[in-house]
Amino acid sequence: AVVSTQSTGECTVSSDNFIGDYRCLVWRTTTADGWGFEKIKMKIDGKSQRTYGEAADLDNGETKTFCLPAVEYKITVSMGAGTYDGTAAAQYVKIKGTNDNS
């Protein structure tokens, strides 16, 4: 995608490829004078997504990867007082997301 060099550059990328939930954005500049910005905002199908809040400068021909902060998952399990409720055995949980990511 080509981004204008105005103060609020904007680009739209269309694709038939479904990437699943996005986590990172790779940005590359090919200019000979670098480029700086304050914030990156992302929309998917017109819906605002989580925003990258860090300012950055890309030097001549530099590539940077901007990732969302790590996601914290908390699972709470409530058990009753029945005979078979609860266990002394170790338990393992796997959280699966889109595109079979875990």
Side-chain angles (χ1 to χ4, degrees):
V2 176
V3 179
S4 70
T5 56
Q6 301 169 6
S7 61
T8 56
E10 187 174 300
C11 67
T12 301
V13 178
S14 296
S15 176
D16 291 332
N17 295 334
F18 179 71
I19 64 167
D21 294 334
Y22 87 100
R23 302 293 307 150
C24 297
L25 177 71
V26 179
W27 200 286
R28 180 174 63 98
T29 183
T30 60
T31 62
D33 61 354
W35 189 54
F37 51 89
E38 294 176 0
K39 185 182 282 188
I40 298 174
K41 292 183 178 181
M42 172 72 105
K43 287 185 179 181
I44 298 176
D45 288 335
K47 295 179 184 176
S48 292
Q49 305 296 311
R50 295 175 69 186
T51 301
Y52 300 88
E54 58 186 87
D57 291 320
L58 278 80
D59 205 356
N60 306 344
E62 185 177 13
T63 300
K64 282 191 178 178
T65 301
F66 302 91
C67 292
L68 294 172
V71 177
E72 178 183 44
Y73 297 95
K74 180 179 181 180
I75 301 171
T76 303
V77 178
S78 299
M79 291 181 245
T83 304
Y84 299 105
D85 294 346
T87 180
Q91 303 298 306
Y92 301 91
V93 176
K94 183 179 203 179
I95 298 173
K96 258 186 158 178
T98 58
N99 290 352
D100 213 25
N101 293 327
S102 55

